[in-house]
Amino acid sequence: MDSNPLRDGLRIEPAPGPTILVIFGASGDLTRRKLLPALYRLARGQRLPHAFSVIGVARTPFTDDDFREQFRQSLREFARVEAADDVADSLSARLHYIHGELDDAALYDRLREKLKAIDENSGVLFYLAIPPSAYGTVSGRLGDAGLSTQAAPATWRRLIVEKPFGHDLDSARALNALLHKHFEEDQLFRIDHYLGKETVQNLMVFRFGNGMFEPIWNRRYIDHVQITAAETVGVETRAAYYDSVGALRDMVQNHLLQLLTLVAMEPPISFTAESVRDRKMDALLAAQPLDEGDVVRAQYGPGWVDGKEVKGYLQEPGVAPNSTTETYVALRVSLDSWRWADVPFYLRTGKRLPKRTTEIAIQFKRPPLEIFRRARVSSVAPSLLIVNVQPDEGISLRFEAKIPGTRMQLAPVMMHFRYGTTFGGEVPEAYETLLLDAMIGDSTLFARHDFTEAAWALISPVHERWSASRESRIPAYEAGEWGPAEADRFLATEGRRWRTL
Ligand code: BG6
C-alpha cells in the first residue's frame, strides 16, 4: 500500500456496504480491459466492500472457472500483474458467471436465484458493458423480473450505463424514457470516464476550494479558453463503431462538453450530486446554437506518428472507402451568460495528432496598459493557466517576469504543480473512482439525464447539417500534424492561435 503523509486525510472515503456487481457483457472488451483491472486495483487498495461479489453475464458459454481465468488473463494483459497474488486469489474466488441470451426472461430468473444464493440482503449494481442497442432490452428485463425494485435501503439496485448514450437527441430521449420505465433517476449512473479522471475532479477543488481564482474567473479577466483532447492513435480496431460516429459524437458530445461545463459552471452551493449537476446544466444551457462557421471537421490522411508511418483513415480496415467521417473537429462555443459573454471556448479533438495530451488552457487578457512598451518589449504574452488533464497530470501558470539584468526585459515563465512529484503514488484510473462512487451511490461524477439531452441538442444539428450536405470529401490533415489548415484559419480570423502543445 502506498503511504504518503500528503495524501492521508485528503480524501473523505465513505465505504460502500455489501455489494454484488452484475456485469452484462462480461466476456467483452470493456470488462477485460477496464473493469476487471479496476476491481483488482480497488481490492488491492482495500477499497472494495467487505462483502463483495461479481456475477458476469454474457452469451459466451463460460463456467465460473473460465470467467476466473479471463480475470487472470486480463490482469496480465491490462494491469501488468504477472503472477497471481493474494488479492487476485481472493477476488477471483468471488467471481461467478451465468450465460444466456439477454432478451431471454429465463436468464433473469437464473440471475435472481444467483443473487439470492450469494446474499439476498446485498445492494446490487448492474453494469451495462454491452452494445447500446441492448440497453433497452436488459433494463426492461431487469424491471420485469422485479430486479430494479429496492425493498430496503441496504438492498439498493443501481444501473451503470456506458457510452455512447444515444446517437442524437431523439435516441437519447428515447433511451432515457426506456430506462426511466424501471429505474428512478437516482438509480441511474451514466458513465463519462473523463469525469473519473483525477485532474478533472481537481478542477472543482481548484476553482471552489481556493478563494483566489474565482474572482478572476470571468469575462473581465479571461480572454478565451482552449480545450484540447489530442490522441496519437488512429481508429484502431473500432472502425465498425467509429465510422458511423466520428469525433464530434465520440468525444465532444460527452467528454469535451463535460470539461467545458466544469470550467464554466457557477459555484455550487454544496458538493452534492444535485447541486454540482444543476450548475453544470446551467452552463450547458447557456451554450448558443452552433452555426456552420463555428465548426471545422477533417479526416486524417497517411503520415507519420511517433516515428512510424501510418495509414490514412480511408485505408484503415473496416472504414468505408468513401467515408466522410471526421476524425478531427474544432469548435467555437459561445456561452450566453453574465460570466462568459464574449469569451469563446475553443474545443478541438482528433486522432492521429502528434501527441497524446488533454489540457484546458485559460488565457487571460493582456494588461490594459502596456507600460513596458518603452522597454522595447513588442508585446507582453498573456498570462495562461493550464490544467494538464493527461498524461502529465498537473496545473501550470505562465506569467511574465523580468529577465535579470540591468535592462528591463520581460520573458514568460512557468510555475508548475505536478501530481506525481507532489503526491507520489499511483493516480487511480477513472474506472476505479467511478465504480466505487456507484457502489456508494454518489452520482456527482455521472451524467444526469438532462445533461445528456442538452449535450445532444447542441451537437445534433451540426451532425444533421453535415449529413444533409452530402459532401463527398471533407478537409484532410496529414497524420502526425495538428489538424487541418482550416482549424488554424478559424482562430486566426479572430486574432488568436491554437496553443502549440
Ligand atoms: C472514448 C472514445 O470515449 O475515449 C475513444 O470512444 C477515445 O475514441 C477515448 O480514444 C479517449 O479516452 P482517454 O481516456 O484515452 O482520453
PDB file of all heavy atoms in Angstrom, residues 270-281:
ATOM      1  N   SER A 270     -23.171  23.335  -2.606  1.00  0.00           N
ATOM      2  CA  SER A 270     -22.523  22.280  -1.828  1.00  0.00           C
ATOM      3  C   SER A 270     -21.981  21.251  -2.804  1.00  0.00           C
ATOM      4  O   SER A 270     -22.357  21.247  -3.976  1.00  0.00           O
ATOM      5  CB  SER A 270     -23.515  21.613  -0.879  1.00  0.00           C
ATOM      6  OG  SER A 270     -24.530  20.991  -1.654  1.00  0.00           O
ATOM      7  N   PHE A 271     -21.109  20.393  -2.289  1.00  0.00           N
ATOM      8  CA  PHE A 271     -20.526  19.393  -3.175  1.00  0.00           C
ATOM      9  C   PHE A 271     -21.412  18.154  -3.164  1.00  0.00           C
ATOM     10  O   PHE A 271     -21.033  17.093  -2.683  1.00  0.00           O
ATOM     11  CB  PHE A 271     -19.092  19.080  -2.735  1.00  0.00           C
ATOM     12  CG  PHE A 271     -18.364  18.211  -3.720  1.00  0.00           C
ATOM     13  CD1 PHE A 271     -18.206  18.610  -5.033  1.00  0.00           C
ATOM     14  CD2 PHE A 271     -17.834  16.993  -3.328  1.00  0.00           C
ATOM     15  CE1 PHE A 271     -17.556  17.806  -5.954  1.00  0.00           C
ATOM     16  CE2 PHE A 271     -17.178  16.184  -4.245  1.00  0.00           C
ATOM     17  CZ  PHE A 271     -17.044  16.582  -5.558  1.00  0.00           C
ATOM     18  N   THR A 272     -22.625  18.338  -3.649  1.00  0.00           N
ATOM     19  CA  THR A 272     -23.538  17.197  -3.728  1.00  0.00           C
ATOM     20  C   THR A 272     -23.905  17.004  -5.193  1.00  0.00           C
ATOM     21  O   THR A 272     -23.825  17.940  -5.997  1.00  0.00           O
ATOM     22  CB  THR A 272     -24.836  17.460  -2.943  1.00  0.00           C
ATOM     23  OG1 THR A 272     -25.417  18.659  -3.465  1.00  0.00           O
ATOM     24  CG2 THR A 272     -24.581  17.602  -1.461  1.00  0.00           C
ATOM     25  N   ALA A 273     -24.338  15.791  -5.497  1.00  0.00           N
ATOM     26  CA  ALA A 273     -24.598  15.446  -6.897  1.00  0.00           C
ATOM     27  C   ALA A 273     -25.572  16.433  -7.534  1.00  0.00           C
ATOM     28  O   ALA A 273     -25.328  16.946  -8.622  1.00  0.00           O
ATOM     29  CB  ALA A 273     -25.138  14.027  -6.981  1.00  0.00           C
ATOM     30  N   GLU A 274     -26.651  16.738  -6.842  1.00  0.00           N
ATOM     31  CA  GLU A 274     -27.657  17.591  -7.471  1.00  0.00           C
ATOM     32  C   GLU A 274     -27.156  19.006  -7.652  1.00  0.00           C
ATOM     33  O   GLU A 274     -27.329  19.619  -8.699  1.00  0.00           O
ATOM     34  CB  GLU A 274     -28.977  17.573  -6.684  1.00  0.00           C
ATOM     35  CG  GLU A 274     -29.754  16.282  -6.853  1.00  0.00           C
ATOM     36  CD  GLU A 274     -29.664  15.669  -8.256  1.00  0.00           C
ATOM     37  OE1 GLU A 274     -30.260  16.223  -9.193  1.00  0.00           O
ATOM     38  OE2 GLU A 274     -28.990  14.631  -8.439  1.00  0.00           O
ATOM     39  N   SER A 275     -26.505  19.536  -6.629  1.00  0.00           N
ATOM     40  CA  SER A 275     -26.054  20.916  -6.716  1.00  0.00           C
ATOM     41  C   SER A 275     -24.995  21.081  -7.817  1.00  0.00           C
ATOM     42  O   SER A 275     -25.069  22.001  -8.642  1.00  0.00           O
ATOM     43  CB  SER A 275     -25.508  21.324  -5.348  1.00  0.00           C
ATOM     44  OG  SER A 275     -25.192  22.658  -5.362  1.00  0.00           O
ATOM     45  N   VAL A 276     -24.031  20.162  -7.845  1.00  0.00           N
ATOM     46  CA  VAL A 276     -22.976  20.258  -8.864  1.00  0.00           C
ATOM     47  C   VAL A 276     -23.588  20.090 -10.257  1.00  0.00           C
ATOM     48  O   VAL A 276     -23.301  20.858 -11.183  1.00  0.00           O
ATOM     49  CB  VAL A 276     -21.894  19.171  -8.624  1.00  0.00           C
ATOM     50  CG1 VAL A 276     -20.934  19.074  -9.805  1.00  0.00           C
ATOM     51  CG2 VAL A 276     -21.130  19.459  -7.333  1.00  0.00           C
ATOM     52  N   ARG A 277     -24.473  19.124 -10.386  1.00  0.00           N
ATOM     53  CA  ARG A 277     -25.012  18.864 -11.722  1.00  0.00           C
ATOM     54  C   ARG A 277     -26.004  19.946 -12.163  1.00  0.00           C
ATOM     55  O   ARG A 277     -26.118  20.226 -13.354  1.00  0.00           O
ATOM     56  CB  ARG A 277     -25.597  17.452 -11.779  1.00  0.00           C
ATOM     57  CG  ARG A 277     -24.469  16.423 -11.527  1.00  0.00           C
ATOM     58  CD  ARG A 277     -24.853  15.000 -11.820  1.00  0.00           C
ATOM     59  NE  ARG A 277     -25.973  14.524 -11.043  1.00  0.00           N
ATOM     60  CZ  ARG A 277     -26.514  13.302 -11.212  1.00  0.00           C
ATOM     61  NH1 ARG A 277     -26.024  12.490 -12.108  1.00  0.00           N
ATOM     62  NH2 ARG A 277     -27.525  12.922 -10.470  1.00  0.00           N
ATOM     63  N   ASP A 278     -26.668  20.568 -11.213  1.00  0.00           N
ATOM     64  CA  ASP A 278     -27.534  21.707 -11.584  1.00  0.00           C
ATOM     65  C   ASP A 278     -26.707  22.836 -12.193  1.00  0.00           C
ATOM     66  O   ASP A 278     -27.072  23.432 -13.205  1.00  0.00           O
ATOM     67  CB  ASP A 278     -28.254  22.258 -10.349  1.00  0.00           C
ATOM     68  CG  ASP A 278     -29.436  21.399  -9.942  1.00  0.00           C
ATOM     69  OD1 ASP A 278     -29.833  20.515 -10.730  1.00  0.00           O
ATOM     70  OD2 ASP A 278     -29.936  21.583  -8.806  1.00  0.00           O
ATOM     71  N   ARG A 279     -25.581  23.137 -11.555  1.00  0.00           N
ATOM     72  CA  ARG A 279     -24.775  24.261 -12.037  1.00  0.00           C
ATOM     73  C   ARG A 279     -24.119  23.935 -13.381  1.00  0.00           C
ATOM     74  O   ARG A 279     -23.972  24.792 -14.235  1.00  0.00           O
ATOM     75  CB  ARG A 279     -23.693  24.639 -11.011  1.00  0.00           C
ATOM     76  CG  ARG A 279     -24.212  25.123  -9.661  1.00  0.00           C
ATOM     77  CD  ARG A 279     -24.923  26.475  -9.749  1.00  0.00           C
ATOM     78  NE  ARG A 279     -26.270  26.404 -10.275  1.00  0.00           N
ATOM     79  CZ  ARG A 279     -27.367  26.068  -9.581  1.00  0.00           C
ATOM     80  NH1 ARG A 279     -27.281  25.781  -8.302  1.00  0.00           N
ATOM     81  NH2 ARG A 279     -28.550  26.028 -10.150  1.00  0.00           N
ATOM     82  N   LYS A 280     -23.724  22.658 -13.573  1.00  0.00           N
ATOM     83  CA  LYS A 280     -23.163  22.278 -14.871  1.00  0.00           C
ATOM     84  C   LYS A 280     -24.228  22.398 -15.960  1.00  0.00           C
ATOM     85  O   LYS A 280     -23.955  22.812 -17.080  1.00  0.00           O
ATOM     86  CB  LYS A 280     -22.643  20.837 -14.812  1.00  0.00           C
ATOM     87  CG  LYS A 280     -21.310  20.746 -14.088  1.00  0.00           C
ATOM     88  CD  LYS A 280     -20.900  19.328 -13.831  1.00  0.00           C
ATOM     89  CE  LYS A 280     -20.705  18.561 -15.115  1.00  0.00           C
ATOM     90  NZ  LYS A 280     -20.472  17.125 -14.840  1.00  0.00           N
ATOM     91  N   MET A 281     -25.418  22.028 -15.580  1.00  0.00           N
ATOM     92  CA  MET A 281     -26.540  22.101 -16.520  1.00  0.00           C
ATOM     93  C   MET A 281     -26.783  23.551 -16.949  1.00  0.00           C
ATOM     94  O   MET A 281     -26.993  23.838 -18.121  1.00  0.00           O
ATOM     95  CB  MET A 281     -27.743  21.539 -15.766  1.00  0.00           C
ATOM     96  CG  MET A 281     -28.846  20.991 -16.560  1.00  0.00           C
ATOM     97  SD  MET A 281     -28.336  20.046 -17.957  1.00  0.00           S
ATOM     98  CE  MET A 281     -29.708  20.460 -18.985  1.00  0.00           C
TER      99      MET A 281
END
